[in-house]
Amino acid sequence: MSLMWSLGLLCLLTGASYATEVCYDELGCFNDHPPWSGTDQRPVSALPWSPTELGTRFLLFTGKNSYYQEIKADQTIDISNYSGRYKTRFVIPGYLVKKDEDWPQEMCKAMVKKENGNCIAVEWKKGLKTKYAQAANNARLLAAQVASMITFLMGHYKQNADKFHLIGHSLGAHAAGEVGSRIPGLARITGLDPSEPYFQHTDNSVRLDTSDATFVDVIHTDALPFHSKLGLGMPESVGHIDFYPNGGELMPGCSANKGKPTELDAIWEGTSNFDACNHARAYQYYTESISESESFVGFPCSDQDSFAAGKCFPCADSQCPLMGHYADKFTVIDGISKTKYFLSTGRSKPFGRYSYKVTLTLEGPSWPNPGLMFVALTGGKVTTKEVQLHLGMLNPGRTYEMLLDANKYLREVTEVKFRWNNHILNPMKPKYGATKVELQRGKDGKMFLFCGTQTVKENEIQSVLPCQA
């Protein structure tokens, strides 16, 4: 592709010339005027590199090929497995985690295993692993390249814009938004922890926003302030619906980000010892959601503290969307939801959790003892991991309540397993048991009632079964 430079500024003092605009044939021209630079949010100016320097590749996955096919916007597309009958999803990375740089390909593999369709992993490693301001501006050219590919596919296969879904992580989320501004009517854009630096509080034309697609859903996982906590993701709600798993700031299994804002370039170039666990969780959650269609239920709530306290439990009138791949099944009544959605996840794979409220009435000796209580749920042949219900005094006749995040999906709960211990030698050998367990499912508020008929010794399992009518 030929390169044409439009020289807009001559620096006579140094004898050098600087381009304020660069043009790349059919991809168009790009300048470094506001709002792209020269603002408080974007202090460092940069122009996009050439397409050759970006090295962008489009890697097609379908149910017919176990390995990717590299495609181009020309007649060679006809020998690929691309099908104009199905939806097409583009997966656009925006931060490359060491040893996980090909996660878009893994997401596409999960996608075509679950559904008929085309999934295109966009690779632009050369244009991404550079100084941050440069990478942020390279994303503009990348967006033009993706838009050009979509335009070609629409023309070649007589497809409409509503057949395309873009999934972008970090800088890739804002690149997806720029694609949407170039191609009106895209079905959906999913922003996976959109980058904060150079995008937070900018003009809508610079960042992802709801005008970029018919439906925009966003997952926030690293949303602490960048300048004080080095959070790489933006806390601002920018979609039709925005999810904040675990509060959106610090993910279970991840440590707090360590470093200084001045190290941003080194972080992006991959030369610093930075752990991007929180930032990467967004695409990890989405990938898992593809195969786990019942997990990641988001609860509408004002803030994380209210959610953790159970004030937003259970879902009312089907007002809980699924975070991730199936978020578009949710209908936003007022067009743009003014509500944030919260949920809990696990520390490691599988991340998805299934929420219940447990209310347990304890039976035992007339005197209280210190101890711990645990419960697990069973449905058919599946039993969840045991969860601690209480730590403290065990008082017979008292009711104990907690929110339980089960690690496995149960279509119906058929049994509650109860256990207690205190690791204290007690010559009285007390026994405790659950006389009644009320279980409320989070996703729909359905109630399950169980009745216990026995007490058990320390560390024995009590099987609490459904109450008989």
Side-chain angles (χ1 to χ4, degrees), residues 52-81:
T52 301
E53 291 173 298
L54 250 65
T56 306
R57 299 200 302 159
F58 296 96
L59 311 179
L60 171 67
F61 291 82
T62 73
K64 294 182 178 180
N65 51 289
S66 57
Y67 195 66
Y68 68 74
Q69 298 173 322
E70 184 174 355
I71 60 172
K72 297 181 180 180
D74 57 32
Q75 295 302 316
T76 60
I77 192 75
D78 291 331
I79 62 174
S80 76
N81 288 326

Side-chain angles (χ1 to χ4, degrees), residues 38-52:
T39 65
D40 291 340
Q41 296 83 9
R42 301 171 74 93
V44 178
S45 298
L47 290 168
W49 288 348
S50 71
T52 301

Side-chain angles (χ1 to χ4, degrees), residues 376-394:
L377 309 180
T378 295
K381 297 181 179 180
V382 179
T383 298
T384 67
K385 184 178 179 180
E386 191 178 66
V387 176
Q388 182 178 298
L389 171 66
H390 174 72
L391 168 62
M393 297 305 294
L394 306 183

